[in-house]
């Protein structure tokens, strides 16, 4: 008689885990293959349309009528997916990416529709690289575009760095690379409150961790909130603690509802000394501290941060999306006529 393997055995649970991982990987590959085939098909349709136009078969002023008629006929023949707006984007996909080899195998048609709404090639290239490397879905891509992530990062970098950012995406090599100014927390819902506390802000961030991670950027893993440190018989607490997988270090965040004060810098320096001595293990690098407030006096911060050996940074947060027109105008002034090649 055959013996049965107990459901609770480690061997069985390892088998179940490996089968689950294999299934998930297989499904992901299948979805990616379908997405890639769909995008390439729509690119080909766009090419067909452009070549028909360029062949002189129709006059330019009849272009819109062509797409409307094509939409009706294709819908009658093949069903959904060929709306007038979809055909416009198929045509634009080909014009924006004239070489099909430059299309990503990992981005869906819905993501390309969002990318094609961006006119600036620098900005579009950045979001394309970030969506691919960060495994963003359409929701995440839309959010990062609305929060003006590219402009926020670009305005704090030099021109060479902006071009690299557009062509390669965000690369984390130094502590400074994880910082943003300002951080945008529109997802917390706090702007609707007449008054909120630092605890309210902390609750809102933790309750929306997926969006918080998206705003923090690559490499962050959550350790906990109100992390205790017992020093000299007294208990101290850090608001939020993360570990950064790329930089291999703890990242401590202290939240301030209003202005960052000079004593907040000393407090963070104190926390970092403790984490370096008591929490770091072999392979960990120096911990990073970010004091995050609604605003700051730059002169006060200059003197507060002077001669501190630990990695302490001060940044701002805001509870609403940036003003797109102002940020775009500022970015255009900063970059002048600098461009990046399409495709």
């Amino acid at each position: 008689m055959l013996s049965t393997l107990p459901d609770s055995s480690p061997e069985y649970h390892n088998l179940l885990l490996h089968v689950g991982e294999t299934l998930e990987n297989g499904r992901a590959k299948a979805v990616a293959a379908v997405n890639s085939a769909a995008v390439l098909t729509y690119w080909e349709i766009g090419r067909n349309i452009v070549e028909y136009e360029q062949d002189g078969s129709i006059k330019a002023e009849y272009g819109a009528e062509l797409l409307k008629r094509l939409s009706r006929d294709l819908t009658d023949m093949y069903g959904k997916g060929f709306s007038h707006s979809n055909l416009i984007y198929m045509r634009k996909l080909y014009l924006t990416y004239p070489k099909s080899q430059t299309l990503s195998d990992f981005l869906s048609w819905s993501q390309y529709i969002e990318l094609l709404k961006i006119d600036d090639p620098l900005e579009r290239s950045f979001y394309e690289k970030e969506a691919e490397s960060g495994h963003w879905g359409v929701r995440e891509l839309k959010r990062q575009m609305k929060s003006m992530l590219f402009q926020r990062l670009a305005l704090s970098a030099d021109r060479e760095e902006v071009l690299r950012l557009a062509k390669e995406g965000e690369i984390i090599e130094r502590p400074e690379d994880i910082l943003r100014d300002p951080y945008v927390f529109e997802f917390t819902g706090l702007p609707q409150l007449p008054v909120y506390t630092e605890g309210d802000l902390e609750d809102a961030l933790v309750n929306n961790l997926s969006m918080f991670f998206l705003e923090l950027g690559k490499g962050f893993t959550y350790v906990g909130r109100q992390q205790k440190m017992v020093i000299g018989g007294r208990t101290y607490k850090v608001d939020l603690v993360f570990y950064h997988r790329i930089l291999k270090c703890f990242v401590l965040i202290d939240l301030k509802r209003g202005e960052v004060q000079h004593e907040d810098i000393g407090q963070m320096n104190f926390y970092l000394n403790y984490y370096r001595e008591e929490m770091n293990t072999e392979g960990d690098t120096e911990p990073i501290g970010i004091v995050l407030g609604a605003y700051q006096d730059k002169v006060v911060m200059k003197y507060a941060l002077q001669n501190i050996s630990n990695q302490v940074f001060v940044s701002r947060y805001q509870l609403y999306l940036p003003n797109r027109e102002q940020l775009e105008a500022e970015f255009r002034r900063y970059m002048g006529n600098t461009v990046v090649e399409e495709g």
Side-chain angles (χ1 to χ4, degrees):
M1 190 172 185
L2 292 174
S3 61
T4 58
L5 190 67
D7 288 350
S8 59
S9 70
E11 293 83 2
Y12 176 77
H13 282 290
N14 283 336
L15 171 64
L16 187 62
L17 179 65
H18 291 151
V19 170
E21 289 177 347
T22 301
L23 181 61
E24 291 297 328
N25 289 336
R27 285 176 173 174
K29 288 178 181 177
V31 170
V34 170
N35 283 335
S36 179
V39 170
L40 188 57
T41 298
Y42 294 151
W43 180 89
E44 289 281 2
I45 292 173
R47 180 171 66 84
N48 293 155
I49 293 170
V50 171
E51 288 181 350
Y52 179 82
E53 292 171 335
Q54 291 176 344
D55 190 42
S57 301
I58 60 167
K59 295 181 179 180
E61 60 264 29
Y62 297 144
E65 288 302 318
L66 165 69
L67 295 183
K68 289 178 182 178
R69 177 177 177 179
L70 196 58
S71 172
R72 288 194 301 270
D73 291 342
L74 288 173
T75 300
D76 289 342
M77 295 171 67
Y78 301 104
K80 295 180 180 179
F82 299 99
S83 66
H84 180 230
S85 60
N86 243 7
L87 290 180
I88 290 174
Y89 281 117
M90 292 177 199
R91 180 179 181 277
K92 191 170 183 180
L93 181 70
Y94 172 73
L95 292 173
T96 304
Y97 300 90
K99 297 178 182 177
S100 62
Q101 298 91 331
T102 60
L103 295 170
S104 170
D105 291 332
F106 301 97
L107 299 182
S108 69
W109 174 237
S110 296
Q111 288 170 303
Y112 269 111
I113 286 178
E114 296 305 317
L115 291 169
L116 290 170
K117 293 175 183 177
I118 303 172
D119 293 327
D120 187 293
L122 282 170
E123 184 180 355
R124 185 174 58 250
S125 175
F126 167 77
Y127 286 117
E128 182 181 350
K129 300 296 186 299
E130 287 296 291
E132 183 174 330
S133 65
H135 305 288
W136 293 348
V138 177
R139 176 171 173 259
E140 289 81 8
L141 176 59
K142 284 183 176 181
R143 188 268 166 184
Q144 297 295 58
M145 287 168 57
K146 283 184 179 179
S147 75
M148 304 289 288
L149 176 61
F150 174 65
Q151 284 82 357
R152 287 189 283 140
L153 293 175
L155 288 172
S156 61
D158 59 35
R159 293 193 181 195
E160 274 190 27
E161 179 66 15
V162 173
L163 292 175
R164 187 187 66 79
L165 190 69
K167 292 180 179 179
E168 301 176 25
E170 194 175 9
I171 297 176
I172 308 297
E173 297 175 333
R174 310 163 299 157
E176 292 85 351
D177 294 334
I178 69 171
L179 296 175
R180 296 180 178 175
D181 188 19
Y183 288 83
V184 177
F185 297 152
E186 90 293 346
F187 53 84
T188 61
L190 291 178
Q192 283 73 43
L193 297 179
V195 179
Y196 67 92
T197 66
E198 289 167 6
D200 293 330
L201 177 58
E202 185 180 317
D203 287 341
L205 294 175
V206 173
N207 290 336
N208 293 275
L209 265 182
S210 62
M211 296 303 289
F212 190 20
F213 277 132
L214 194 62
E215 179 61 12
L216 288 173
K218 299 175 182 175
F220 283 86
T221 57
Y222 181 60
V223 175
R225 61 188 295 188
Q226 295 298 310
Q227 294 293 285
K228 293 181 181 179
M229 299 171 289
V230 180
I231 306 170
R234 296 183 61 183
T235 300
Y236 303 88
K237 295 180 181 179
V238 188
D239 289 341
L240 296 166
V241 178
F242 296 85
Y243 190 84
H244 202 278
R245 300 189 308 274
I246 301 172
L247 296 178
K248 301 187 185 306
C249 66
F250 287 102
V251 180
L252 283 54
I253 297 180
D254 201 15
L255 300 170
K256 301 299 173 186
R257 187 178 67 85
E259 182 180 3
V260 178
Q261 304 292 336
H262 64 86
E263 55 264 30
D264 299 326
I265 307 303
Q267 183 182 52
M268 178 57 76
N269 191 51
F270 175 66
Y271 294 161
L272 292 175
N273 286 332
Y274 176 86
Y275 263 74
R276 186 183 63 250
E277 296 295 329
E278 303 293 339
M279 302 301 291
N280 271 16
T281 58
E282 186 177 353
D284 289 340
T285 59
E286 293 286 304
I288 297 170
I290 303 174
V291 183
L292 198 52
Y295 55 99
Q296 59 178 283
D297 185 313
K298 292 188 180 296
V299 175
V300 172
M301 290 302 101
K302 173 187 174 182
Y303 290 116
L305 292 166
Q306 197 167 306
N307 297 326
I308 288 182
S309 58
N310 284 319
Q311 299 176 125
V312 182
F313 300 94
V314 178
S315 191
R316 299 173 297 126
Y317 71 86
Q318 62 186 48
L319 301 175
Y320 49 88
L321 292 170
N323 183 292
R324 172 171 290 276
E325 290 73 21
Q326 290 178 358
L327 261 183
E328 285 183 341
E330 189 176 349
F331 176 71
R332 284 195 296 271
R333 282 196 300 271
Y334 176 63
M335 290 303 294
N337 295 320
T338 305
V339 296
V340 67
E341 291 182 5
E342 292 274 7

